[in-house]
Amino acid sequence: MRRFVAAVLLGLPFAAVCVAQDGPAPQSHCVKCNGHGQLPCPKHGKAFELESGALVQWCSDVLACKACEGTLHVDCKVCRNAEVEAALEQRRKLAQEWLAERKKHVAGAPNIDDFLYLSTPHFDLSFSIKPTTVGKKKLDTHALMHLYGERLEALRDDFARTLELTDDDLPDRCRVHMFRASNDQAVIGPKETGFGNARAVGLKQMGPEFVYSMWQDLRSMPDDEGLHRNIVHHTTHLLLSQMKPMLWMGNRKHGWIDEGLAHWFENRIDGKCTNFCFEEVLMQPGAGFKGGRWQTPVRKLVDDGEAASFAALSILNSDQLTFEQHAVAFAYVDFLITDRGGAKFRDMLRLLKQGKETREVLQAVYGLNPLTIQPAFEAWVKEHYSLQPGK
Ligand SMILES: [Zn+2]
Ligand SMILES: [Zn+2]
Ligand SMILES: [Zn+2]
Ligand SMILES: [Zn+2]
């Protein structure tokens, strides 16, 4: 429905011309609107480009505009164009319906009046993160929300491109709630995900709906990089789970893949991994492994013959992995994707999700087994991970 209306709005200049040819329709000569019957809403200044970009379906900041009420356009007062006016009215109505739907998911949050909302082609975001310095620029909450909308879409693109997936492989939207206050997460996190731990910094639902709800605990996420890694890590879990056939692999003894892949995308941001999916109560804020830079420590583990064996690693669930095993799991995923390619990794995921045994799948996809994969991995680590940090 929304798509249809958008098409109608986009098609307006053409429609206006057609009407003009059919009879005397002075609006086609209106110099004020150039015959469009509407004008860009003047209240958004530079943000107009941002709000009308391809990645923005709806933004609550635009809905709050008294002049256009979410449509980004205002009726031309000089001429009359009934079709345009009807389309604008319809879009105002859809905007309100969208906002009501977004608010439904955060109803009962103590600070709901501070929330902003954004919908992009694949994500619905609720947002109240404090203004943050990104690079050298200070972004207010609204601009930051748009940045996270772009980052979420960029992650989905990267995920699909890396694993050579089609749109059809990732059929579901994700809801992401990013709160500045822990008391919002305490109410909404459990409600939205079905998990009861109100103290958790982040909670996920990995099917049949895909939801990540979190608050920015500054002890573990003191800056934009930390927050960005958190969102990428946990959203990767949502994407991996929804990838057809839908299944959360983390409690099927495939923790090394579930966590390893989330770390792999997290690591792509700035070479660090700082997020772990443990029971929250066990996790001290800021706890981690070797400052989050894992290649050198994994190389040392391999050199010393102390890296977890694949046979031991590949029977654990996500929440059973130690910090060290998280790092080794990341490295196995890095080896398989970097050395053997994303398409094979995708094939492995599909077969494992169908319930096939790891042994069988390794053989079918890679011609390896749980014993032979280990020397291949270790040789690769010795070749590609430096003993000197940062090399
Ligand atoms: Zn006009
Ligand atoms: Zn906006
Ligand atoms: Zn406006
Ligand atoms: Zn995780």
Side-chain angles (χ1 to χ4, degrees):
M1 192 63 207
R2 189 158 70 224
R3 225 170 248 165
F4 173 67
V5 172
V8 167
L9 281 171
L10 288 172
L12 279 173
F14 177 68
V17 170
C18 288
V19 171
Q21 283 170 345
D22 285 342
Q27 69 266 29
S28 64
H29 305 296
C30 175
V31 287
K32 176 126 173 104
C33 67
N34 202 18
H36 293 183
Q38 61 175 356
L39 297 157
C41 178
K43 303 283 183 197
H44 303 279
K46 275 191 199 145
F48 186 86
E49 297 274 303
L50 180 71
E51 301 294 358
S52 53
L55 289 184
V56 180
Q57 289 182 334
W58 299 101
C59 169
S60 62
D61 192 64
V62 181
L63 266 69
C65 172
K66 296 262 189 304
C68 71
E69 297 171 78
T71 63
L72 272 184
H73 288 87
V74 290
D75 182 35
C76 176
K77 297 294 177 208
V78 175
C79 63
R80 272 201 59 84
N81 186 325
E83 273 181 66
V84 174
E85 284 164 27
L88 280 174
E89 179 54 36
Q90 172 73 350
R91 186 144 172 95
R92 278 194 289 272
K93 201 172 137 252
L94 287 175
Q96 289 310 318
E97 285 171 15
W98 169 79
L99 187 60
E101 173 67 20
R102 299 276 49 83
K103 286 187 172 172
K104 214 173 73 188
H105 291 287
V106 289
N111 307 294
I112 190 169
D113 292 342
D114 299 335
F115 296 175
L116 293 174
Y117 309 93
L118 178 74
S119 285
T120 66
H122 306 98
F123 294 90
D124 296 308
L125 195 54
S126 321
F127 201 86
S128 61
I129 302 294
K130 277 195 176 133
T132 301
T133 302
V134 179
K136 289 197 169 117
K137 238 171 124 184
K138 179 119 178 190
L139 299 185
D140 65 17
T141 298
H142 174 228
L144 199 59
M145 173 172 75
H146 278 274
L147 177 63
Y148 272 90
E150 287 164 16
R151 285 172 167 180
L152 285 165
E153 289 291 343
L155 171 65
R156 187 182 178 281
D157 271 0
D158 191 19
F159 187 92
R161 223 176 312 114
T162 299
L163 301 182
E164 301 185 30
L165 303 173
T166 64
D167 251 6
D168 190 51
D169 290 310
L170 298 171
D172 298 285
R173 297 183 69 79
C174 298
R175 284 202 297 284
V176 179
H177 303 292
M178 297 174 66
F179 302 122
R180 81 168 59 165
S182 63
N183 60 348
D184 289 322
Q185 167 66 1
V187 174
I188 301 306
K191 213 174 83 176
E192 275 284 271
T193 63
F195 289 95
N197 187 352
R199 286 176 56 208
V201 172
L203 289 170
K204 295 184 283 289
Q205 185 196 154
M206 293 191 277
E209 293 182 69
F210 299 88
V211 187
Y212 178 49
S213 183
M214 61 84 68
W215 74 283
Q216 187 182 13
D217 186 344
L218 293 170
R219 290 170 299 179
S220 52
M221 289 166 266
D223 51 21
D224 179 62
E225 286 80 14
L227 181 62
H228 190 186
R229 281 196 301 273
N230 178 283
I231 295 301
V232 163
H233 179 102
H234 294 286
T235 306
T236 299
H237 284 302
L238 303 187
L239 295 171
L240 174 58
S241 298
Q242 73 163 260
M243 180 194 148
K244 284 183 183 169
M246 181 187 100
L247 180 80
W248 178 42
M249 302 176 78
N251 61 351
R252 307 288 175 110
K253 303 196 185 301
H254 305 310
W256 71 278
I257 291 178
D258 185 45
E259 283 303 311
L261 193 64
H263 289 310
W264 195 79
F265 281 99
E266 184 187 1
N267 178 70
R268 266 156 100 73
I269 298 169
D270 58 358
K272 281 176 85 175
C273 301
T274 50
N275 293 278
F276 304 89
C277 298
F278 288 128
E279 266 298 310
E280 193 66 27
V281 277
L282 300 174
M283 180 84 186
Q284 295 296 318
F289 181 64
K290 305 289 181 187
R293 299 202 182 273
W294 287 355
Q295 298 192 351
T296 298
V298 167
R299 170 71 192 274
K300 284 186 180 138
L301 287 172
V302 166
D303 280 4
D304 297 344
E306 283 173 8
S309 75
F310 183 84
L313 195 64
S314 59
I315 54 166
L316 298 173
N317 290 335
S318 290
D319 63 359
Q320 295 172 319
L321 299 169
T322 63
F323 284 127
E324 199 174 290
Q325 286 168 337
H326 272 267
V328 176
F330 154 77
Y332 265 103
V333 169
D334 195 19
F335 160 60
L336 290 176
I337 293 180
T338 309
D339 195 61
R340 308 290 159 111
K344 284 195 171 178
F345 199 85
R346 171 203 63 204
D347 294 345
M348 174 176 72
L349 295 178
R350 283 181 180 152
L351 292 170
L352 290 173
K353 281 177 160 217
Q354 286 163 13
K356 303 245 174 10
E357 292 296 327
T358 299
R359 168 177 296 277
E360 194 186 334
V361 173
L362 281 183
Q363 191 62 51
V365 177
Y366 295 108
L368 294 168
N369 66 50
L371 290 179
T372 56
I373 190 175
Q374 193 167 333
F377 162 74
E378 292 185 348
W380 182 85
V381 165
K382 287 180 187 193
E383 194 180 333
H384 292 91
Y385 289 3
S386 170
L387 276 169
Q388 266 117 47
K391 294 274 167 71

